[in-house]
Amino acid sequence: MALPTTMRTLLQTSRESTALISTTSPLPTPTHPDDVLVQVHATCPCAGELLWARDFPNAIPASKVLIPCQDLAGTVVSAPSGSGFAEEDRVYCRIDAGRPGAAREYALARATELAKIPEGLGWIEAAATPLSALTAWQALFVHGTLNSKAVIGDEDTKKENGRQRVLVTGAAGGVGSWLVQLAALAGAGAVVAVCGTNKVEAVRELGATEVINYQETTVEEWVAVDPAGREVDLVVDVVGGKTLGGCWVGVKEGGTLISVNTPPDMVKPAGSEKKAKSSFFIVEPLGNNLAEIGDLIAAGKLRPTVDSVWEFDEFEKAFERLESGHAKGKIVIKVSDQA
């Protein structure tokens, strides 16, 4: 395969600025024994990612070339022997945030991050999957209290999961839509979705059994109607702020409260004596988790949710749509003509 010497690349101008420019750069060269060179067909931005280098200097090395968009769907160009991947394989992944992203025509991913794209899943839907689906999977089954065996048909664990009520904030968004689907598939006794008016029907279609319309009522007000019946065993939050603070009222005594936005203890209401396990985590880009998710997609049990698709040169509009907070699912940027 003849490769070009340069490629289109999005670049953040500095760690202190969220400004992006479209430029030209050389193709990346594998330097790690696990590096796989991938031609990128589509990628996705993540809310807040342009602030990561500034706000989380311990997680984002000073040496990182600030190329955004860690989600990738593309074709393998070269892979190390024994990696499990070969030239022309259709792959997708979440690139670790400490390394340059996929907003460029060719990117380097690690074999441990990659999974093969399920048959029937196009480039756009594939790009919309890794970060959000992995975050949801790990929130529910690694850090949370649901058992993942239920999603592959284990009836005993499905009955165990059925004893738990789960609440998801930002339920119509990129991560939230996967959380609702996975919790429902795992047999949670109730899946309570927090979303706005124009997203109520969408989250019900994904599997929500109860909906809190935050434009009409808060989590606290909703729970207060029937605390014994409405409190939940597990909260997974993607919103933070007042919404997460209100979830302390919604979680049962001794329950579990997880956020991928903010450490829950930081917004615990003053004077609250509620005791619950609380944690904040950053997703691990594990290809084996993504492969499990891919099997469920191939079986028709899960589906990615795409809000909108943008051409590479429309990257500014794509980021504006993302940061508006009104997206229903993922924002996707087409990188190649194949997408």
Side-chain angles (χ1 to χ4, degrees):
M1 179 179 179
L3 298 178
T5 56
T6 61
M7 62 180 178
R8 293 183 302 167
T9 302
L10 292 188
L11 190 65
Q12 188 174 346
T13 57
S14 80
R15 298 171 74 92
E16 303 301 321
S17 171
T18 59
L20 292 171
I21 58 170
S22 178
T23 186
T24 300
S25 65
L27 269 63
T29 302
T31 57
H32 187 279
D34 206 26
D35 276 344
V36 177
L37 180 63
V38 179
Q39 182 183 6
V40 182
H41 300 311
T43 188
C44 295
C46 175
E49 69 170 292
L50 301 180
L51 298 174
W52 291 347
R54 186 196 71 186
D55 294 346
F56 305 104
N58 292 333
I60 309 298
S63 60
K64 177 183 176 178
V65 179
L66 298 176
I67 299 170
C69 303
Q70 307 299 129
D71 278 326
L72 170 155
T75 305
V76 172
V77 175
S78 64
S81 176
S83 66
F85 299 96
E87 187 176 338
E88 298 299 328
D89 279 349
R90 299 174 69 250
V91 294
Y92 61 161
C93 77
R94 158 73 173 175
I95 299 172
D96 186 274
R99 306 200 317 279
R104 49 181 171 164
E105 292 178 293
Y106 294 84
L108 291 173
R110 299 276 164 83
T112 53
E113 297 168 337
L114 286 167
K116 293 179 182 178
I117 295 173
E119 288 295 326
L121 195 66
W123 297 119
I124 299 301
E125 293 77 15
T129 298
L131 170 60
S132 297
L134 285 170
T135 301
W137 181 277
Q138 293 171 18
L140 292 171
F141 305 131
V142 179
H143 301 276
T145 51
L146 295 183
N147 192 320
S148 65
K149 290 181 181 179
V151 302
I152 56 172
D154 187 296
E155 291 302 321
D156 290 337
T157 54
K158 200 161 190 175
K159 287 179 181 177
E160 292 175 11
N161 290 345
R163 300 186 184 101
Q164 298 189 54
R165 290 172 54 81
V166 179
L167 185 147
V168 176
T169 70
V175 176
S177 59
W178 286 101
L179 284 164
V180 172
Q181 291 183 81
L182 283 168
L185 185 61
V191 182
V192 184
V194 182
C195 65
T197 304
N198 65 338
K199 301 173 183 178
V200 170
E201 290 308 312
V203 297
R204 288 195 186 279
E205 290 177 6
L206 292 173
T209 57
E210 302 168 47
V211 178
I212 302 173
N213 182 344
Y214 70 80
Q215 292 173 309
E216 296 177 353
T217 186
T218 64
V219 173
E220 302 97 311
E221 292 168 342
W222 184 83
V223 170
V225 173
D226 178 17
R230 290 185 170 182
E231 284 184 343
V232 301
D233 302 275
L234 172 64
V235 170
V236 183
D237 165 73
V238 300
V239 177
K242 292 181 179 179
T243 299
L244 176 55
C247 290
W248 278 98
V249 176
V251 71
K252 291 179 179 178
E253 186 75 19
T256 301
L257 206 155
I258 295 167
S259 179
V260 296
N261 181 288
T262 307
D265 287 342
M266 290 181 62
V267 293
K268 186 174 183 178
S272 172
E273 297 182 359
K274 178 74 67 71
K275 293 181 180 179
K277 298 176 184 177
S278 65
S279 64
F280 164 81
F281 80 96
I282 296 173
V283 66
E284 291 189 71
L286 299 176
N288 57 350
N289 281 171
L290 191 56
E292 293 179 275
I293 293 163
D295 289 342
L296 296 169
I297 294 171
K301 296 179 178 180
L302 296 173
R303 59 181 174 86
T305 304
V306 176
D307 174 85
S308 53
V309 181
W310 305 83
E311 298 294 334
F312 191 85
D313 292 338
E314 298 177 305
F315 65 89
E316 291 176 322
K317 293 179 180 178
F319 273 86
E320 286 172 9
R321 174 63 180 169
L322 175 69
E323 299 301 340
S324 74
H326 299 306
K328 299 177 184 177
K330 293 292 285 188
I331 311 293
V332 181
I333 298 174
K334 294 168 62 176
V335 179
S336 81
D337 293 336
Q338 294 188 41

